[in-house]
Amino acid sequence: MISITFYKDNTDYYGIRLMNHAGYAEEGEDIVCAAVSALAINTFNSIETFTEVPFLEEVSTDNVTISFRLTGTPDFATNLLMKSLELGLQDLKNNYSQYLSIDYDLEEV
């Protein structure tokens, strides 16, 4: 199961962590993993291309983890892109609930 954690406070998104494989199908055939990866990578690339907000991104193939953390103050565009990612992942969860979970780490920054 893919474990997704959004880091946010009441108004702003500060990052996301994605861990594990979905287990929907064999590696290379797993449409849930592919969909999560496509949504996340597109969001990270969009934030890098269309905003000036700095971030750190870590990928670990050992424990199958992607961490994306804003290091600057989130702006309107960054929040909108993260909300769009959340919408896409929530839609996937609604259709494949046994293969991914979404949690929130609400922080005061």
Side-chain angles (χ1 to χ4, degrees):
M1 174 181 278
I2 299 173
S3 172
I4 301 165
T5 303
F6 280 95
Y7 298 98
K8 60 182 290 195
D9 63 17
N10 289 331
T11 57
D12 293 319
Y13 291 81
Y14 291 93
I16 186 171
R17 183 184 68 223
L18 304 105
M19 295 178 62
N20 300 322
H21 287 292
Y24 178 83
E26 294 296 317
E27 188 175 334
E29 304 289 324
D30 196 321
I31 62 171
V32 177
C33 277
V36 168
S37 295
L39 285 167
I41 291 167
N42 185 64
T43 300
F44 306 157
N45 288 340
S46 295
I47 289 171
E48 181 176 31
T49 301
F50 300 122
T51 78
E52 299 293 321
V53 179
F55 62 86
L56 295 174
E57 183 177 11
E58 288 184 45
V59 177
S60 171
T61 55
D62 293 337
N63 61 2
V64 191
T65 301
I66 299 172
S67 294
F68 180 86
R69 191 77 174 188
L70 299 174
T71 57
T73 303
D75 61 8
F76 176 81
T78 304
N79 278 313
L80 183 61
L81 290 165
M82 290 295 289
K83 282 181 185 179
S84 179
L85 173 59
E86 180 182 24
L87 177 68
L89 293 172
Q90 284 288 354
D91 188 49
L92 273 175
K93 183 178 182 298
N94 290 343
N95 291 295
Y96 299 97
S97 61
Q98 67 271 33
Y99 300 104
L100 61 125
S101 67
I102 299 176
D103 295 304
Y104 296 87
D105 187 347
L106 306 175
E107 29 182 73
E108 293 298 323
V109 178

